[in-house]
Amino acid sequence: DTGVSQNPRHKITKRGQNVTFRCDPISEHNRLYWYRQTLGQGPEFLTYFQNEAQLEKSRLLSDRFSAERPKGSFSTLEIQRTEQGDSAMYLCASSFSDEQYFGPGTRLTVT
Amino acid sequence: AQKVTQAQTEISVVEKEDVTLDCVYETRDTTYYLFWYKQPPSGELVFLIRRNSFDEQNEISGRYSWNFQKSTSSFNFTITASQVVDSAVYFCALSEEHSGYALNFGKGTSLLVTP
């Protein structure tokens, strides 16, 4: 499978715990994006990387959120001290130009 | 401010009817791209089409067609002879050069096609 993959697909955690998600982009894609989608809404941009450089962060990305892409390949998104409002689908996309290919997402439920 | 507006929240049609999903966008960039994505109940976003700001030519792909009009900042999507499998949420999105082509999505239109 050469598409974008995300792990885990589902995560249930208790409020206050830290969680980390992983995204593996399509191998030749240099851009990687993170989005968040809550129920009934469109995806909202969080941040993006060009190679290993994080070039833009949305104001939605609070201090509790951090993303990395250490070698310009896979990326991780960590949420510290999770809150119930963090419950959402976290989507990763990768691109070589302007067309983004999305992964299946990680659904986070904070109880 | 919402950059992409999809005024229709939900649409319900009977199979074989034609249906048009509206999308209005807002940008100050001269270089931008417009997209439509389909999100079926399974949840994965499926790319349908991309249009750049310099190409206003309408496009047809099978039962799908798109009408891009810069004069009205609209990028509407028509499904001809709808089928039950077309039932999904459809998102229009805008990406702008100045923001690294991050996608700004509309809130989506939920389409239900009944037999």
Side-chain angles (χ1 to χ4, degrees), chain A residues 31 33 35 37 40-43 45 48 56 91 97-100 102-104, chain B residues 33 35 37 39 44-45 47 50 91 98-103 105-107:
Chain A
R31 288 185 177 154
Y33 302 80
Y35 295 85
Q37 185 177 20
Q41 300 295 315
F45 168 73
Y48 98 94
E56 186 146 344
L91 295 163
S97 59
D98 55 272
E99 186 174 325
Q100 295 178 30
F102 281 83
Chain B
Y33 295 82
F35 300 80
Y37 283 86
Q39 190 171 46
E44 193 154 345
L45 279 164
F47 166 82
R50 174 196 63 184
F91 291 99
H98 80 268
S99 62
Y101 300 112
L103 289 166
F105 284 87
K107 294 189 175 183

PDB file of all heavy atoms in Angstrom, chain A residues 31 33 35 37 40-43 45 48 56 91 97-100 102-104, chain B residues 33 35 37 39 44-45 47 50 91 98-103 105-107:
ATOM      1  N   ARG A  31       5.822  17.530   1.342  1.00  0.00           N
ATOM      2  CA  ARG A  31       4.958  18.298   2.243  1.00  0.00           C
ATOM      3  C   ARG A  31       4.045  17.371   3.018  1.00  0.00           C
ATOM      4  O   ARG A  31       3.498  16.407   2.463  1.00  0.00           O
ATOM      5  CB  ARG A  31       4.110  19.296   1.461  1.00  0.00           C
ATOM      6  CG  ARG A  31       4.913  20.459   0.931  1.00  0.00           C
ATOM      7  CD  ARG A  31       4.021  21.475   0.284  1.00  0.00           C
ATOM      8  NE  ARG A  31       4.776  22.627  -0.166  1.00  0.00           N
ATOM      9  CZ  ARG A  31       4.404  23.404  -1.160  1.00  0.00           C
ATOM     10  NH1 ARG A  31       3.280  23.156  -1.801  1.00  0.00           N
ATOM     11  NH2 ARG A  31       5.139  24.439  -1.495  1.00  0.00           N
ATOM     12  N   TYR A  33       0.865  17.566   6.050  1.00  0.00           N
ATOM     13  CA  TYR A  33      -0.103  18.441   6.716  1.00  0.00           C
ATOM     14  C   TYR A  33      -0.855  17.660   7.786  1.00  0.00           C
ATOM     15  O   TYR A  33      -1.157  16.480   7.605  1.00  0.00           O
ATOM     16  CB  TYR A  33      -1.133  18.961   5.703  1.00  0.00           C
ATOM     17  CG  TYR A  33      -0.573  19.726   4.545  1.00  0.00           C
ATOM     18  CD1 TYR A  33      -0.010  19.057   3.453  1.00  0.00           C
ATOM     19  CD2 TYR A  33      -0.633  21.124   4.496  1.00  0.00           C
ATOM     20  CE1 TYR A  33       0.492  19.760   2.368  1.00  0.00           C
ATOM     21  CE2 TYR A  33      -0.142  21.828   3.414  1.00  0.00           C
ATOM     22  CZ  TYR A  33       0.420  21.138   2.355  1.00  0.00           C
ATOM     23  OH  TYR A  33       0.917  21.848   1.278  1.00  0.00           O
ATOM     24  N   TYR A  35      -4.496  17.979  10.012  1.00  0.00           N
ATOM     25  CA  TYR A  35      -5.798  18.629  10.125  1.00  0.00           C
ATOM     26  C   TYR A  35      -6.564  17.965  11.271  1.00  0.00           C
ATOM     27  O   TYR A  35      -6.308  16.826  11.627  1.00  0.00           O
ATOM     28  CB  TYR A  35      -6.626  18.463   8.847  1.00  0.00           C
ATOM     29  CG  TYR A  35      -6.054  19.137   7.631  1.00  0.00           C
ATOM     30  CD1 TYR A  35      -5.091  18.491   6.844  1.00  0.00           C
ATOM     31  CD2 TYR A  35      -6.483  20.403   7.243  1.00  0.00           C
ATOM     32  CE1 TYR A  35      -4.572  19.104   5.718  1.00  0.00           C
ATOM     33  CE2 TYR A  35      -5.965  21.018   6.108  1.00  0.00           C
ATOM     34  CZ  TYR A  35      -5.012  20.361   5.357  1.00  0.00           C
ATOM     35  OH  TYR A  35      -4.499  20.970   4.242  1.00  0.00           O
ATOM     36  N   GLN A  37     -10.663  17.245  12.465  1.00  0.00           N
ATOM     37  CA  GLN A  37     -12.058  17.311  12.045  1.00  0.00           C
ATOM     38  C   GLN A  37     -12.959  16.882  13.188  1.00  0.00           C
ATOM     39  O   GLN A  37     -12.845  15.758  13.681  1.00  0.00           O
ATOM     40  CB  GLN A  37     -12.317  16.416  10.819  1.00  0.00           C
ATOM     41  CG  GLN A  37     -13.724  16.556  10.278  1.00  0.00           C
ATOM     42  CD  GLN A  37     -13.961  15.726   9.029  1.00  0.00           C
ATOM     43  OE1 GLN A  37     -13.242  14.768   8.747  1.00  0.00           O
ATOM     44  NE2 GLN A  37     -14.964  16.108   8.247  1.00  0.00           N
ATOM     45  N   GLY A  40     -19.444  16.845  12.185  1.00  0.00           N
ATOM     46  CA  GLY A  40     -20.294  17.792  11.479  1.00  0.00           C
ATOM     47  C   GLY A  40     -19.580  18.995  10.901  1.00  0.00           C
ATOM     48  O   GLY A  40     -20.213  19.910  10.382  1.00  0.00           O
ATOM     49  N   GLN A  41     -18.265  18.990  10.996  1.00  0.00           N
ATOM     50  CA  GLN A  41     -17.483  20.111  10.485  1.00  0.00           C
ATOM     51  C   GLN A  41     -16.505  19.649   9.411  1.00  0.00           C
ATOM     52  O   GLN A  41     -16.208  18.458   9.295  1.00  0.00           O
ATOM     53  CB  GLN A  41     -16.685  20.774  11.612  1.00  0.00           C
ATOM     54  CG  GLN A  41     -17.537  21.319  12.746  1.00  0.00           C
ATOM     55  CD  GLN A  41     -18.430  22.454  12.301  1.00  0.00           C
ATOM     56  OE1 GLN A  41     -18.003  23.365  11.582  1.00  0.00           O
ATOM     57  NE2 GLN A  41     -19.683  22.433  12.713  1.00  0.00           N
ATOM     58  N   GLY A  42     -16.009  20.603   8.656  1.00  0.00           N
ATOM     59  CA  GLY A  42     -14.943  20.286   7.721  1.00  0.00           C
ATOM     60  C   GLY A  42     -13.611  20.214   8.444  1.00  0.00           C
ATOM     61  O   GLY A  42     -13.470  20.736   9.555  1.00  0.00           O
ATOM     62  N   PRO A  43     -12.633  19.563   7.852  1.00  0.00           N
ATOM     63  CA  PRO A  43     -11.304  19.521   8.463  1.00  0.00           C
ATOM     64  C   PRO A  43     -10.739  20.926   8.637  1.00  0.00           C
ATOM     65  O   PRO A  43     -10.952  21.802   7.794  1.00  0.00           O
ATOM     66  CB  PRO A  43     -10.476  18.717   7.459  1.00  0.00           C
ATOM     67  CG  PRO A  43     -11.473  17.921   6.683  1.00  0.00           C
ATOM     68  CD  PRO A  43     -12.681  18.789   6.598  1.00  0.00           C
ATOM     69  N   PHE A  45      -7.172  23.103   9.369  1.00  0.00           N
ATOM     70  CA  PHE A  45      -5.725  23.020   9.272  1.00  0.00           C
ATOM     71  C   PHE A  45      -5.073  23.238  10.629  1.00  0.00           C
ATOM     72  O   PHE A  45      -5.444  24.151  11.371  1.00  0.00           O
ATOM     73  CB  PHE A  45      -5.235  24.079   8.279  1.00  0.00           C
ATOM     74  CG  PHE A  45      -3.762  24.315   8.285  1.00  0.00           C
ATOM     75  CD1 PHE A  45      -2.904  23.382   7.735  1.00  0.00           C
ATOM     76  CD2 PHE A  45      -3.227  25.468   8.840  1.00  0.00           C
ATOM     77  CE1 PHE A  45      -1.535  23.599   7.733  1.00  0.00           C
ATOM     78  CE2 PHE A  45      -1.868  25.697   8.841  1.00  0.00           C
ATOM     79  CZ  PHE A  45      -1.013  24.765   8.289  1.00  0.00           C
ATOM     80  N   TYR A  48       1.815  22.429   8.981  1.00  0.00           N
ATOM     81  CA  TYR A  48       2.393  21.697   7.870  1.00  0.00           C
ATOM     82  C   TYR A  48       3.911  21.787   7.862  1.00  0.00           C
ATOM     83  O   TYR A  48       4.507  22.714   8.405  1.00  0.00           O
ATOM     84  CB  TYR A  48       1.783  22.119   6.539  1.00  0.00           C
ATOM     85  CG  TYR A  48       2.554  23.118   5.706  1.00  0.00           C
ATOM     86  CD1 TYR A  48       3.430  22.681   4.708  1.00  0.00           C
ATOM     87  CD2 TYR A  48       2.374  24.471   5.879  1.00  0.00           C
ATOM     88  CE1 TYR A  48       4.109  23.589   3.920  1.00  0.00           C
ATOM     89  CE2 TYR A  48       3.053  25.390   5.099  1.00  0.00           C
ATOM     90  CZ  TYR A  48       3.916  24.950   4.111  1.00  0.00           C
ATOM     91  OH  TYR A  48       4.599  25.847   3.328  1.00  0.00           O
ATOM     92  N   GLU A  56       4.317  26.345   9.034  1.00  0.00           N
ATOM     93  CA  GLU A  56       3.150  27.112   9.446  1.00  0.00           C
ATOM     94  C   GLU A  56       2.379  26.357  10.508  1.00  0.00           C
ATOM     95  O   GLU A  56       2.268  25.134  10.452  1.00  0.00           O
ATOM     96  CB  GLU A  56       2.252  27.400   8.246  1.00  0.00           C
ATOM     97  CG  GLU A  56       1.088  28.328   8.582  1.00  0.00           C
ATOM     98  CD  GLU A  56       0.714  29.254   7.443  1.00  0.00           C
ATOM     99  OE1 GLU A  56       1.508  29.421   6.509  1.00  0.00           O
ATOM    100  OE2 GLU A  56      -0.386  29.816   7.506  1.00  0.00           O
ATOM    101  N   LEU A  91      -6.386  14.123  10.953  1.00  0.00           N
ATOM    102  CA  LEU A  91      -6.081  13.706   9.595  1.00  0.00           C
ATOM    103  C   LEU A  91      -4.704  14.194   9.178  1.00  0.00           C
ATOM    104  O   LEU A  91      -4.307  15.313   9.477  1.00  0.00           O
ATOM    105  CB  LEU A  91      -7.113  14.286   8.624  1.00  0.00           C
ATOM    106  CG  LEU A  91      -8.542  13.795   8.794  1.00  0.00           C
ATOM    107  CD1 LEU A  91      -9.511  14.731   8.081  1.00  0.00           C
ATOM    108  CD2 LEU A  91      -8.699  12.390   8.263  1.00  0.00           C
ATOM    109  N   SER A  97       3.049  18.687  -4.587  1.00  0.00           N
ATOM    110  CA  SER A  97       2.771  20.040  -5.082  1.00  0.00           C
ATOM    111  C   SER A  97       1.557  20.586  -4.343  1.00  0.00           C
ATOM    112  O   SER A  97       1.588  20.735  -3.129  1.00  0.00           O
ATOM    113  CB  SER A  97       2.547  20.013  -6.586  1.00  0.00           C
ATOM    114  OG  SER A  97       1.463  19.163  -6.899  1.00  0.00           O
ATOM    115  N   ASP A  98       0.475  20.859  -5.061  1.00  0.00           N
ATOM    116  CA  ASP A  98      -0.684  21.444  -4.410  1.00  0.00           C
ATOM    117  C   ASP A  98      -1.789  20.424  -4.134  1.00  0.00           C
ATOM    118  O   ASP A  98      -2.758  20.732  -3.471  1.00  0.00           O
ATOM    119  CB  ASP A  98      -1.258  22.561  -5.282  1.00  0.00           C
ATOM    120  CG  ASP A  98      -1.567  22.063  -6.666  1.00  0.00           C
ATOM    121  OD1 ASP A  98      -0.656  22.108  -7.517  1.00  0.00           O
ATOM    122  OD2 ASP A  98      -2.691  21.581  -6.894  1.00  0.00           O
ATOM    123  N   GLU A  99      -1.655  19.222  -4.637  1.00  0.00           N
ATOM    124  CA  GLU A  99      -2.704  18.210  -4.475  1.00  0.00           C
ATOM    125  C   GLU A  99      -2.362  17.330  -3.287  1.00  0.00           C
ATOM    126  O   GLU A  99      -1.317  16.682  -3.261  1.00  0.00           O
ATOM    127  CB  GLU A  99      -2.792  17.372  -5.747  1.00  0.00           C
ATOM    128  CG  GLU A  99      -3.927  16.383  -5.746  1.00  0.00           C
ATOM    129  CD  GLU A  99      -4.048  15.706  -7.092  1.00  0.00           C
ATOM    130  OE1 GLU A  99      -3.790  16.363  -8.117  1.00  0.00           O
ATOM    131  OE2 GLU A  99      -4.384  14.504  -7.112  1.00  0.00           O
ATOM    132  N   GLN A 100      -3.229  17.317  -2.301  1.00  0.00           N
ATOM    133  CA  GLN A 100      -2.972  16.583  -1.068  1.00  0.00           C
ATOM    134  C   GLN A 100      -3.718  15.253  -1.051  1.00  0.00           C
ATOM    135  O   GLN A 100      -4.880  15.169  -1.442  1.00  0.00           O
ATOM    136  CB  GLN A 100      -3.395  17.418   0.134  1.00  0.00           C
ATOM    137  CG  GLN A 100      -2.565  18.678   0.292  1.00  0.00           C
ATOM    138  CD  GLN A 100      -3.004  19.522   1.456  1.00  0.00           C
ATOM    139  OE1 GLN A 100      -3.505  19.027   2.463  1.00  0.00           O
ATOM    140  NE2 GLN A 100      -2.797  20.824   1.346  1.00  0.00           N
ATOM    141  N   PHE A 102      -4.947  12.260   1.479  1.00  0.00           N
ATOM    142  CA  PHE A 102      -5.249  12.097   2.892  1.00  0.00           C
ATOM    143  C   PHE A 102      -5.120  10.651   3.357  1.00  0.00           C
ATOM    144  O   PHE A 102      -5.427   9.709   2.608  1.00  0.00           O
ATOM    145  CB  PHE A 102      -6.672  12.576   3.191  1.00  0.00           C
ATOM    146  CG  PHE A 102      -6.777  14.069   3.283  1.00  0.00           C
ATOM    147  CD1 PHE A 102      -6.907  14.834   2.143  1.00  0.00           C
ATOM    148  CD2 PHE A 102      -6.721  14.703   4.511  1.00  0.00           C
ATOM    149  CE1 PHE A 102      -6.983  16.218   2.221  1.00  0.00           C
ATOM    150  CE2 PHE A 102      -6.797  16.082   4.606  1.00  0.00           C
ATOM    151  CZ  PHE A 102      -6.928  16.843   3.461  1.00  0.00           C
ATOM    152  N   GLY A 103      -4.706  10.506   4.601  1.00  0.00           N
ATOM    153  CA  GLY A 103      -4.722   9.218   5.264  1.00  0.00           C
ATOM    154  C   GLY A 103      -6.102   8.951   5.844  1.00  0.00           C
ATOM    155  O   GLY A 103      -6.995   9.796   5.773  1.00  0.00           O
ATOM    156  N   PRO A 104      -6.276   7.784   6.464  1.00  0.00           N
ATOM    157  CA  PRO A 104      -7.579   7.396   7.005  1.00  0.00           C
ATOM    158  C   PRO A 104      -7.927   8.093   8.313  1.00  0.00           C
ATOM    159  O   PRO A 104      -9.070   8.042   8.752  1.00  0.00           O
ATOM    160  CB  PRO A 104      -7.436   5.885   7.217  1.00  0.00           C
ATOM    161  CG  PRO A 104      -5.976   5.697   7.441  1.00  0.00           C
ATOM    162  CD  PRO A 104      -5.284   6.717   6.589  1.00  0.00           C
TER     163      PRO A 104
ATOM    164  N   TYR B  33      -5.899  27.425  -5.548  1.00  0.00           N
ATOM    165  CA  TYR B  33      -6.461  26.196  -6.081  1.00  0.00           C
ATOM    166  C   TYR B  33      -7.767  25.886  -5.360  1.00  0.00           C
ATOM    167  O   TYR B  33      -7.927  26.194  -4.178  1.00  0.00           O
ATOM    168  CB  TYR B  33      -5.487  25.022  -5.879  1.00  0.00           C
ATOM    169  CG  TYR B  33      -4.213  25.177  -6.660  1.00  0.00           C
ATOM    170  CD1 TYR B  33      -3.162  25.955  -6.183  1.00  0.00           C
ATOM    171  CD2 TYR B  33      -4.073  24.563  -7.900  1.00  0.00           C
ATOM    172  CE1 TYR B  33      -2.009  26.110  -6.914  1.00  0.00           C
ATOM    173  CE2 TYR B  33      -2.912  24.711  -8.635  1.00  0.00           C
ATOM    174  CZ  TYR B  33      -1.880  25.485  -8.134  1.00  0.00           C
ATOM    175  OH  TYR B  33      -0.732  25.643  -8.857  1.00  0.00           O
ATOM    176  N   PHE B  35     -10.697  22.785  -4.690  1.00  0.00           N
ATOM    177  CA  PHE B  35     -10.825  21.333  -4.653  1.00  0.00           C
ATOM    178  C   PHE B  35     -12.237  20.930  -4.237  1.00  0.00           C
ATOM    179  O   PHE B  35     -12.933  21.674  -3.557  1.00  0.00           O
ATOM    180  CB  PHE B  35      -9.874  20.731  -3.602  1.00  0.00           C
ATOM    181  CG  PHE B  35      -8.420  21.003  -3.824  1.00  0.00           C
ATOM    182  CD1 PHE B  35      -7.862  22.223  -3.470  1.00  0.00           C
ATOM    183  CD2 PHE B  35      -7.601  20.032  -4.371  1.00  0.00           C
ATOM    184  CE1 PHE B  35      -6.515  22.485  -3.666  1.00  0.00           C
ATOM    185  CE2 PHE B  35      -6.251  20.276  -4.559  1.00  0.00           C
ATOM    186  CZ  PHE B  35      -5.710  21.501  -4.204  1.00  0.00           C
ATOM    187  N   TYR B  37     -13.712  17.377  -2.343  1.00  0.00           N
ATOM    188  CA  TYR B  37     -13.446  16.075  -1.741  1.00  0.00           C
ATOM    189  C   TYR B  37     -14.764  15.432  -1.344  1.00  0.00           C
ATOM    190  O   TYR B  37     -15.717  16.113  -0.974  1.00  0.00           O
ATOM    191  CB  TYR B  37     -12.586  16.209  -0.476  1.00  0.00           C
ATOM    192  CG  TYR B  37     -11.123  16.458  -0.716  1.00  0.00           C
ATOM    193  CD1 TYR B  37     -10.634  17.749  -0.896  1.00  0.00           C
ATOM    194  CD2 TYR B  37     -10.217  15.402  -0.741  1.00  0.00           C
ATOM    195  CE1 TYR B  37      -9.287  17.975  -1.105  1.00  0.00           C
ATOM    196  CE2 TYR B  37      -8.855  15.620  -0.943  1.00  0.00           C
ATOM    197  CZ  TYR B  37      -8.409  16.912  -1.128  1.00  0.00           C
ATOM    198  OH  TYR B  37      -7.064  17.128  -1.333  1.00  0.00           O
ATOM    199  N   GLN B  39     -16.445  12.605   1.282  1.00  0.00           N
ATOM    200  CA  GLN B  39     -16.198  11.847   2.507  1.00  0.00           C
ATOM    201  C   GLN B  39     -17.385  10.910   2.735  1.00  0.00           C
ATOM    202  O   GLN B  39     -18.408  11.300   3.265  1.00  0.00           O
ATOM    203  CB  GLN B  39     -15.998  12.766   3.712  1.00  0.00           C
ATOM    204  CG  GLN B  39     -15.502  12.033   4.961  1.00  0.00           C
ATOM    205  CD  GLN B  39     -15.111  12.995   6.071  1.00  0.00           C
ATOM    206  OE1 GLN B  39     -15.814  13.943   6.380  1.00  0.00           O
ATOM    207  NE2 GLN B  39     -13.959  12.743   6.686  1.00  0.00           N
ATOM    208  N   GLU B  44     -12.966   8.326   5.090  1.00  0.00           N
ATOM    209  CA  GLU B  44     -11.757   8.751   4.397  1.00  0.00           C
ATOM    210  C   GLU B  44     -12.079   9.813   3.351  1.00  0.00           C
ATOM    211  O   GLU B  44     -13.065   9.713   2.635  1.00  0.00           O
ATOM    212  CB  GLU B  44     -11.095   7.545   3.734  1.00  0.00           C
ATOM    213  CG  GLU B  44      -9.681   7.818   3.263  1.00  0.00           C
ATOM    214  CD  GLU B  44      -8.839   6.553   3.200  1.00  0.00           C
ATOM    215  OE1 GLU B  44      -9.254   5.524   3.775  1.00  0.00           O
ATOM    216  OE2 GLU B  44      -7.759   6.606   2.591  1.00  0.00           O
ATOM    217  N   LEU B  45     -11.256  10.826   3.275  1.00  0.00           N
ATOM    218  CA  LEU B  45     -11.459  11.899   2.302  1.00  0.00           C
ATOM    219  C   LEU B  45     -10.958  11.454   0.930  1.00  0.00           C
ATOM    220  O   LEU B  45      -9.805  11.055   0.784  1.00  0.00           O
ATOM    221  CB  LEU B  45     -10.713  13.155   2.726  1.00  0.00           C
ATOM    222  CG  LEU B  45     -11.405  14.013   3.775  1.00  0.00           C
ATOM    223  CD1 LEU B  45     -10.429  14.993   4.388  1.00  0.00           C
ATOM    224  CD2 LEU B  45     -12.581  14.754   3.158  1.00  0.00           C
ATOM    225  N   PHE B  47     -10.274  12.509  -2.931  1.00  0.00           N
ATOM    226  CA  PHE B  47     -10.065  13.633  -3.834  1.00  0.00           C
ATOM    227  C   PHE B  47     -10.934  13.446  -5.079  1.00  0.00           C
ATOM    228  O   PHE B  47     -10.974  12.371  -5.679  1.00  0.00           O
ATOM    229  CB  PHE B  47      -8.586  13.692  -4.210  1.00  0.00           C
ATOM    230  CG  PHE B  47      -8.265  14.578  -5.372  1.00  0.00           C
ATOM    231  CD1 PHE B  47      -8.125  15.944  -5.194  1.00  0.00           C
ATOM    232  CD2 PHE B  47      -8.102  14.053  -6.645  1.00  0.00           C
ATOM    233  CE1 PHE B  47      -7.816  16.767  -6.268  1.00  0.00           C
ATOM    234  CE2 PHE B  47      -7.805  14.865  -7.720  1.00  0.00           C
ATOM    235  CZ  PHE B  47      -7.656  16.223  -7.530  1.00  0.00           C
ATOM    236  N   ARG B  50      -9.278  19.134  -8.753  1.00  0.00           N
ATOM    237  CA  ARG B  50      -8.515  20.317  -8.423  1.00  0.00           C
ATOM    238  C   ARG B  50      -8.590  21.280  -9.605  1.00  0.00           C
ATOM    239  O   ARG B  50      -8.537  20.841 -10.765  1.00  0.00           O
ATOM    240  CB  ARG B  50      -7.060  19.948  -8.186  1.00  0.00           C
ATOM    241  CG  ARG B  50      -6.143  21.129  -7.968  1.00  0.00           C
ATOM    242  CD  ARG B  50      -4.708  20.733  -8.126  1.00  0.00           C
ATOM    243  NE  ARG B  50      -4.426  20.272  -9.474  1.00  0.00           N
ATOM    244  CZ  ARG B  50      -3.260  19.792  -9.877  1.00  0.00           C
ATOM    245  NH1 ARG B  50      -2.287  19.663  -9.012  1.00  0.00           N
ATOM    246  NH2 ARG B  50      -3.074  19.404 -11.108  1.00  0.00           N
ATOM    247  N   PHE B  91     -17.012  18.151   0.442  1.00  0.00           N
ATOM    248  CA  PHE B  91     -16.332  19.347   0.909  1.00  0.00           C
ATOM    249  C   PHE B  91     -15.680  20.075  -0.252  1.00  0.00           C
ATOM    250  O   PHE B  91     -15.003  19.468  -1.091  1.00  0.00           O
ATOM    251  CB  PHE B  91     -15.235  18.999   1.923  1.00  0.00           C
ATOM    252  CG  PHE B  91     -15.760  18.484   3.228  1.00  0.00           C
ATOM    253  CD1 PHE B  91     -15.798  17.124   3.480  1.00  0.00           C
ATOM    254  CD2 PHE B  91     -16.205  19.358   4.206  1.00  0.00           C
ATOM    255  CE1 PHE B  91     -16.278  16.635   4.695  1.00  0.00           C
ATOM    256  CE2 PHE B  91     -16.695  18.887   5.418  1.00  0.00           C
ATOM    257  CZ  PHE B  91     -16.730  17.521   5.653  1.00  0.00           C
ATOM    258  N   HIS B  98       0.181  31.641  -0.529  1.00  0.00           N
ATOM    259  CA  HIS B  98       0.872  32.313   0.575  1.00  0.00           C
ATOM    260  C   HIS B  98       0.869  31.490   1.855  1.00  0.00           C
ATOM    261  O   HIS B  98       1.660  31.748   2.755  1.00  0.00           O
ATOM    262  CB  HIS B  98       0.232  33.690   0.859  1.00  0.00           C
ATOM    263  CG  HIS B  98      -1.027  33.633   1.661  1.00  0.00           C
ATOM    264  ND1 HIS B  98      -2.274  33.562   1.096  1.00  0.00           N
ATOM    265  CD2 HIS B  98      -1.229  33.612   2.994  1.00  0.00           C
ATOM    266  CE1 HIS B  98      -3.189  33.515   2.037  1.00  0.00           C
ATOM    267  NE2 HIS B  98      -2.589  33.540   3.200  1.00  0.00           N
ATOM    268  N   SER B  99      -0.013  30.486   1.959  1.00  0.00           N
ATOM    269  CA  SER B  99      -0.078  29.667   3.175  1.00  0.00           C
ATOM    270  C   SER B  99       0.395  28.252   2.911  1.00  0.00           C
ATOM    271  O   SER B  99      -0.038  27.313   3.581  1.00  0.00           O
ATOM    272  CB  SER B  99      -1.489  29.670   3.748  1.00  0.00           C
ATOM    273  OG  SER B  99      -2.391  29.108   2.829  1.00  0.00           O
ATOM    274  N   GLY B 100       1.284  28.088   1.936  1.00  0.00           N
ATOM    275  CA  GLY B 100       1.849  26.766   1.695  1.00  0.00           C
ATOM    276  C   GLY B 100       0.849  25.753   1.187  1.00  0.00           C
ATOM    277  O   GLY B 100       1.049  24.551   1.324  1.00  0.00           O
ATOM    278  N   TYR B 101      -0.223  26.259   0.622  1.00  0.00           N
ATOM    279  CA  TYR B 101      -1.253  25.400   0.047  1.00  0.00           C
ATOM    280  C   TYR B 101      -1.999  24.565   1.074  1.00  0.00           C
ATOM    281  O   TYR B 101      -2.571  23.533   0.749  1.00  0.00           O
ATOM    282  CB  TYR B 101      -0.678  24.498  -1.051  1.00  0.00           C
ATOM    283  CG  TYR B 101      -0.074  25.271  -2.187  1.00  0.00           C
ATOM    284  CD1 TYR B 101       1.293  25.262  -2.423  1.00  0.00           C
ATOM    285  CD2 TYR B 101      -0.882  26.064  -3.003  1.00  0.00           C
ATOM    286  CE1 TYR B 101       1.849  25.994  -3.461  1.00  0.00           C
ATOM    287  CE2 TYR B 101      -0.335  26.796  -4.038  1.00  0.00           C
ATOM    288  CZ  TYR B 101       1.038  26.760  -4.262  1.00  0.00           C
ATOM    289  OH  TYR B 101       1.571  27.486  -5.283  1.00  0.00           O
ATOM    290  N   ALA B 102      -2.004  25.023   2.319  1.00  0.00           N
ATOM    291  CA  ALA B 102      -2.858  24.371   3.313  1.00  0.00           C
ATOM    292  C   ALA B 102      -4.307  24.527   2.872  1.00  0.00           C
ATOM    293  O   ALA B 102      -4.697  25.561   2.335  1.00  0.00           O
ATOM    294  CB  ALA B 102      -2.657  24.991   4.683  1.00  0.00           C
ATOM    295  N   LEU B 103      -5.098  23.521   3.102  1.00  0.00           N
ATOM    296  CA  LEU B 103      -6.480  23.536   2.635  1.00  0.00           C
ATOM    297  C   LEU B 103      -7.396  24.208   3.639  1.00  0.00           C
ATOM    298  O   LEU B 103      -7.381  23.890   4.826  1.00  0.00           O
ATOM    299  CB  LEU B 103      -6.959  22.108   2.381  1.00  0.00           C
ATOM    300  CG  LEU B 103      -6.349  21.418   1.162  1.00  0.00           C
ATOM    301  CD1 LEU B 103      -6.625  19.919   1.203  1.00  0.00           C
ATOM    302  CD2 LEU B 103      -6.913  22.019  -0.117  1.00  0.00           C
ATOM    303  N   PHE B 105     -11.210  24.286   4.272  1.00  0.00           N
ATOM    304  CA  PHE B 105     -12.409  23.549   3.884  1.00  0.00           C
ATOM    305  C   PHE B 105     -13.663  24.324   4.243  1.00  0.00           C
ATOM    306  O   PHE B 105     -13.704  25.049   5.243  1.00  0.00           O
ATOM    307  CB  PHE B 105     -12.471  22.213   4.621  1.00  0.00           C
ATOM    308  CG  PHE B 105     -11.535  21.165   4.100  1.00  0.00           C
ATOM    309  CD1 PHE B 105     -10.233  21.090   4.552  1.00  0.00           C
ATOM    310  CD2 PHE B 105     -11.965  20.241   3.157  1.00  0.00           C
ATOM    311  CE1 PHE B 105      -9.360  20.125   4.078  1.00  0.00           C
ATOM    312  CE2 PHE B 105     -11.113  19.264   2.687  1.00  0.00           C
ATOM    313  CZ  PHE B 105      -9.807  19.202   3.138  1.00  0.00           C
ATOM    314  N   GLY B 106     -14.692  24.126   3.441  1.00  0.00           N
ATOM    315  CA  GLY B 106     -16.022  24.543   3.837  1.00  0.00           C
ATOM    316  C   GLY B 106     -16.561  23.577   4.865  1.00  0.00           C
ATOM    317  O   GLY B 106     -15.915  22.592   5.220  1.00  0.00           O
ATOM    318  N   LYS B 107     -17.779  23.836   5.332  1.00  0.00           N
ATOM    319  CA  LYS B 107     -18.364  22.980   6.353  1.00  0.00           C
ATOM    320  C   LYS B 107     -18.996  21.715   5.786  1.00  0.00           C
ATOM    321  O   LYS B 107     -19.433  20.845   6.532  1.00  0.00           O
ATOM    322  CB  LYS B 107     -19.385  23.767   7.171  1.00  0.00           C
ATOM    323  CG  LYS B 107     -18.725  24.877   7.970  1.00  0.00           C
ATOM    324  CD  LYS B 107     -19.680  25.524   8.955  1.00  0.00           C
ATOM    325  CE  LYS B 107     -18.915  26.544   9.794  1.00  0.00           C
ATOM    326  NZ  LYS B 107     -19.762  27.174  10.820  1.00  0.00           N
TER     327      LYS B 107
END
